Amino acid sequence: MTLAGKRIVLIISGGIAAYKSLDLIRRLRERGASIRPIMTRGAQEFITQLAVGALSASHVYTELFSREDEQDVGHIRLARDCDLIVIAPATADLMAKMANGHADDLASTVLLATDRPVLVAPAMNPKMWAHPATQRNVSTLKADGINLVGPMAGEMAESGENGLGRMTEPLDIVAAVERLLDDAPKPLAGKTAIVTSGPTHEPIDPVRYIANRSSGRQGHAIAAALARLGADVTLVSGPVTLPDPTGVKTVHVERAEEMRDAVISRLPADIAVMVAAVADWRTVAPADQKIKKQPGEAPAPLRLTENPDILKTVGHHKYRPKIVVGFAAETQNVEDNGRTKLERKGADLIVANDVSPETGIMGGTRNSVKLITKTGVETWPDLSKDEVADRLAQLIAGRLNGG
Ligand SMILES: Cc1cc2nc3c(=O)[nH]c(=O)nc-3n(C[C@H](O)[C@H](O)[C@H](O)COP(=O)(O)O)c2cc1C
């Protein structure tokens, strides 16, 4: 219940993504938040007051000049009696009104009258988003201290066009809300962290590559957990299908050499957590053209060469971070291999896990790890990857702060 007791005013404006705000209401309430919804006229063309009212278990506010609503809560109390105002979806029109201080309906008036933080989740056609007028308004809103989440790139629901303009998915909006309302201590404030995540892809030719089963779930969760504790996190991610975690700078790479360069160029840092399943080998010379199958001929052998060892490079670098954590994915002798890795790579801590297929860890959502340090081994119970991430982030914070 990360949002227990938090009071959120949710403004829904008239975009096609309004249907997603129904799910957003559910997700926010699941986490303990109470919702007071405001719908613009436009929003009511896309979803009904009935659905919004039922899901939020609240009266739905729509009119500025409503005698009952003014007597009951009133627009000034609506604007102030909350911890956060979220606008999802935020239309180009509503953002323009906000940027220019208009107050000609309930939503815009509440937004002008509020002294509470505001989170905007824009959703519009890519051309509307890219328009200089919208971009001017975005700059103004940012300068006014308004928080933005998204938009995302992808296919538009109604036109099928591709580009920047999709509303951020409800769960990612929830994560942004949690970050804004998070009043937990920030033991990693002022610290910088580099996290690697996912697999690497080593090309064979323009269409084929060598890869592994890493999903990036654990690395991404660790990046997000360190950020929640206040660290300034750069996530260097191999090819994954996960969204970039919120509150983290994500750099996308494909090959191990690119990952090494991205990591090294970001040193010095206070913390390095090398979670990526970096391919040990790459092809000596990837072909420029697709290698054709020749009937009757045996396949050409793949000539491999060793990839850079990123953890070892970081562990022995002149700008070595104060805490270097490595991951060891093993299918046998987990503890012994982890201990050897700790020494060879110059790490302070190895998180070793058994990734034999029957464990379901690689690519799955749970993890069962052993923490190997110079002084001993600690076995953690079976946990979700998010829980492993939170525990590890706390442990790093404790060590960095002298614990
Ligand atoms: C089918 C349809 C879809 C629309 N989708 C969007 C949208 O995704 N984003 C947007 O900014 N405007 C969109 N519009 C235009 C807005 O609804 C319009 O600008 C309206 O005045 C917004 O009012 P509001 O900001 O008060 O809700 C759409 C209009 C129609 C007819």
Side-chain angles (χ1 to χ4, degrees):
M1 296 290 263
T2 49
L3 297 173
K6 300 293 183 194
R7 298 159 310 156
I8 295 173
V9 166
L10 174 65
I11 297 179
I12 306 171
S13 60
I16 196 87
Y19 75 95
K20 289 190 184 171
S21 56
L22 298 175
D23 190 33
L24 177 63
I25 293 171
R26 282 195 54 214
R27 304 294 178 186
L28 291 169
R29 290 193 68 215
E30 268 169 15
R31 285 159 181 77
S34 64
I35 308 291
R36 265 188 183 155
I38 297 178
M39 293 175 77
T40 65
R41 289 251 164 84
Q44 294 166 66
E45 297 289 335
F46 292 90
I47 54 174
T48 65
Q49 282 190 49
L50 190 64
V52 172
L55 284 167
S56 60
S58 164
H59 177 68
V60 181
Y61 299 86
T62 55
E63 301 303 324
L64 181 57
F65 302 109
S66 154
R67 213 177 314 145
E68 293 95 76
D69 288 355
E70 269 308 303
Q71 271 166 11
D72 174 23
V73 176
H75 66 278
I76 299 295
R77 267 185 63 200
L78 255 182
R80 310 263 171 85
D81 267 7
C82 63
D83 298 295
L84 177 70
I85 299 184
V86 178
I87 315 174
T91 54
D93 174 63
L94 185 53
M95 288 169 66
K97 283 186 186 173
M98 283 174 83
N100 291 289
H102 286 242
D104 62 357
D105 64 1
L106 182 62
S108 53
T109 304
V110 163
L111 285 163
L112 198 60
T114 192
D115 54 4
R116 313 273 77 205
V118 177
L119 176 68
V120 176
M124 65 198 71
N125 175 278
K127 294 260 177 343
M128 289 172 85
W129 173 254
H131 196 285
T134 304
Q135 288 306 310
R136 261 197 317 275
N137 294 332
V138 169
S139 302
T140 304
L141 293 176
K142 284 184 179 164
D144 289 348
I146 302 292
N147 305 281
L148 268 91
V149 55
M152 312 283 289
E155 198 177 314
M156 299 297 117
E158 88 261 42
S159 65
E161 272 174 83
N162 247 298
L164 212 53
R166 268 171 73 100
M167 189 170 87
T168 298
E169 291 303 322
L171 279 178
D172 293 320
I173 297 178
V174 170
V177 168
E178 284 171 338
R179 248 183 315 115
L180 278 171
L181 294 179
D182 181 4
D183 34 29
K186 301 280 178 229
L188 291 178
K191 307 289 185 205
T192 50
I194 306 172
V195 180
T196 64
S197 182
T200 62
H201 285 182
E202 308 298 333
I204 297 170
D205 66 18
V207 296
R208 304 183 179 95
Y209 53 83
I210 302 171
N212 60 62
R213 294 184 196 279
S214 168
S215 66
R217 281 205 185 95
Q218 187 62 84
H220 278 52
I222 289 169
L226 290 168
R228 278 196 294 277
L229 295 190
D232 177 357
V233 182
T234 301
L235 172 66
V236 181
S237 172
V240 295
T241 54
L242 302 173
D244 295 347
T246 45
V248 165
K249 285 174 238 131
T250 305
V251 179
H252 296 273
V253 297
E254 204 163 305
R255 297 179 294 109
E257 289 176 303
E258 289 170 351
M259 187 172 273
R260 180 222 24 221
D261 293 348
V263 168
I264 299 304
S265 69
R266 280 160 182 86
L267 292 176
D270 298 295
I271 304 160
V273 189
M274 304 288 97
V275 195
V278 181
D280 289 318
W281 306 285
R282 67 178 184 278
T283 49
V284 173
D288 290 339
Q289 304 295 332
K290 185 181 168 202
I291 302 169
K292 299 293 286 178
K293 188 168 74 173
Q294 301 299 347
E297 269 186 29
L302 281 180
R303 285 191 48 226
L304 300 177
T305 185
E306 209 167 312
N307 259 333
D309 186 329
I310 303 175
L311 175 58
K312 195 169 166 188
T313 309
V314 171
H316 293 97
H317 200 276
K318 67 172 170 173
Y319 295 134
R320 183 190 188 280
K322 293 185 195 85
I323 298 216
V324 176
V325 180
F327 268 65
E330 305 288 347
T331 54
Q332 52 191 349
N333 303 331
V334 176
E335 222 173 289
D336 288 348
N337 288 336
R339 213 174 283 117
T340 314
K341 204 165 175 179
L342 181 79
E343 300 214 339
R344 233 176 349 104
K345 312 257 173 160
D348 301 293
L349 180 69
I350 292 288
V351 183
N353 51 12
D354 183 347
V355 293
S356 309
E358 61 274 16
T359 65
I361 287 175
M362 205 133 184
T365 57
R366 300 194 70 76
N367 208 349
S368 175
V369 303
K370 288 181 192 295
L371 261 72
I372 300 169
T373 60
K374 286 173 193 119
T375 52
V377 179
E378 191 181 317
T379 304
W380 283 359
D382 173 63
L383 296 167
S384 73
K385 287 184 175 172
D386 286 338
E387 288 165 332
V388 169
D390 281 333
R391 276 194 178 204
L392 188 65
Q394 291 290 354
L395 189 145
I396 289 170
R399 283 191 153 221
L400 213 52
N401 296 323

